[in-house]
């Protein structure tokens, strides 16, 4: 197994700092980087639709002088013939130097990483994580606010299925005195396992339904789309989809230092009139993402680390199967079900692939 990026917490705060410095240097001296990946191939394995993330990875690799191979939907891959993620990863390792994988099943990029002989980057797995979006988010916050310590960050919308929210929280809890305002309808609250992480770390957070009341206190407002594709009931989606719409009137409730981020695509949770507000950063965020992906590709290709296979960790137990229908281990039955007890409590376990309580 090669050094990969499956979950943002695999990067230390120092490494995030170095990625930010590299991204800044790429912006300042693009021609110094234009040949760095000459002769290298990135494979973009996208089993789920994407515009931004896939094109951002592709643009990043081309700007480094490398090449790109891959597919942009599951039906044009052998997954449609029933090939396992593990086999796909082994095969692609023979053709490429690094993989960016998006998959609807949570834990699929982890399975790919332990089976590939090249680095694997998680480009979004189900409702679980999306670490490279977080790199885009962090670089944007850094450029707009100068740092992370002491920020009050409002996360608004679909906090249950929004994988970008989960990864961003996991990144920001490592900085000093960051507090969160979790703004969502009750049905789309942050999952329990994420709240446990906040509690374990002693991070201050409040949960609320009201966006208006929160606006004045925020340094960052991270808006998200209600994740239609993760709902099992269309009726429920339609009921919740318009829970929050950020308008110029609502923006008046925020301070001059407020910055609005959104991973995009936007549906209607931010009205287009907000785009001309200088506090709206979501299109700058897209560009920042490309530079951070360039920095990440360079870092992983240069790494000679050979990490331990996390699926072979001695503290894992095999009891029952994960019941999360979005977990890769509930679809690929040959994968060993693996759990870790939380805080030594034998009543409480988390699936190693999707982190749900299984
Ligand atoms: C996000 C994703 O795919 O999770 N989009 C992205 O990568 N920029 C957010 C979303 O789809 O809502």
């Amino acid at each position: 197994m090669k050094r990969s990026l499956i979950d943002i917490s695999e990067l230390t705060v120092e490494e995030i700092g170095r990625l930010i410095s590299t991204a800044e240097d790429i912006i300042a001296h693009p021609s110094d980087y234009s040949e760095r990946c000459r002769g290298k191939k990135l494979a973009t394995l996208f089993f789920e639709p994407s515009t931004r993330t896939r094109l951002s990875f592709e643009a990043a690799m081309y700007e480094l002088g490398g090449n790109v191979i891959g597919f942009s939907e599951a039906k044009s891959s052998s997954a449609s013939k029933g090939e396992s993620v593990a086999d796909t990863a082994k095969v692609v390792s023979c053709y490429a130097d690094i993989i960016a994988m998006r998959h609807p099943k949570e834990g699929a990029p982890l399975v790919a990483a332990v089976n590939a002989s090249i680095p694997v980057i998680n480009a979004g797995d189900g409702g679980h994580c999306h670490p490279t979006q977080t790199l885009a988010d962090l670089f944007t916050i850094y450029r707009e606010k100068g740092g992370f310590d002491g920020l009050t960050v409002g996360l608004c919308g679909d906090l249950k299925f929004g994988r970008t929210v989960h990864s961003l929280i996991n990144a920001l809890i490592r900085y000093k005195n960051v507090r969160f305002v979790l703004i969502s309808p009750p049905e789309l609250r942050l999952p329990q396992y994420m709240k446990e992480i906040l509690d374990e770390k002693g991070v201050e957070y409040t949960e609320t339904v009201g966006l208006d009341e929160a606006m004045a206190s925020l340094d960052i407002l991270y808006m998200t789309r209600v994740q239609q594709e993760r709902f099992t009931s269309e009726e429920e989606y339609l009921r919740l989809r318009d829970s929050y719409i950020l308008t110029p009137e609502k923006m008046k409730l925020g301070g001059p230092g407020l910055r609005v981020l959104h991973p995009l695509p936007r549906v209607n949770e931010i009205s287009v009139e907000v785009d001309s507000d200088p506090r709206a950063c979501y299109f700058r965020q897209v560009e920042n993402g490309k530079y951070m992906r360039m920095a990440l590709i360079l870092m992983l290709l240069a790494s000679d680390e050979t990490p331990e296979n996390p699926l072979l960790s001695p503290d894992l137990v095999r009891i029952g199967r994960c019941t999360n229908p979005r977990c890769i281990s509930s679809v690929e039955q040959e994968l060993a079900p693996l759990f870790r007890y939380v805080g030594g409590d034998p009543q409480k376990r988390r699936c190693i692939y999707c982190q749900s309580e299984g």
Side-chain angles (χ1 to χ4, degrees), residues 52-53 102 130 133 163-164 225 227 229 262-265:
R52 240 153 321 276
T53 306
R102 169 166 291 193
H130 194 350
Q133 180 60 48
R163 54 194 173 194
T164 62
R225 170 180 74 89
Q227 304 278 302
E229 63 276 36
H262 189 306
L264 303 179

Side-chain angles (χ1 to χ4, degrees), residues 338-352:
L338 293 168
F339 298 91
R340 178 173 279 130
Y341 289 122
V342 183
D345 179 351
Q347 302 302 319
K348 213 166 187 184
R349 56 179 205 178
R350 273 186 208 146
C351 171
I352 188 79

Side-chain angles (χ1 to χ4, degrees), residues 276-291:
S276 56
D277 188 312
R279 297 172 294 173
C281 303
Y282 26 93
F283 292 112
R284 299 198 283 278
Q285 195 179 347
V286 175
E287 192 172 11
N288 291 335
K290 181 188 70 180
Y291 295 119

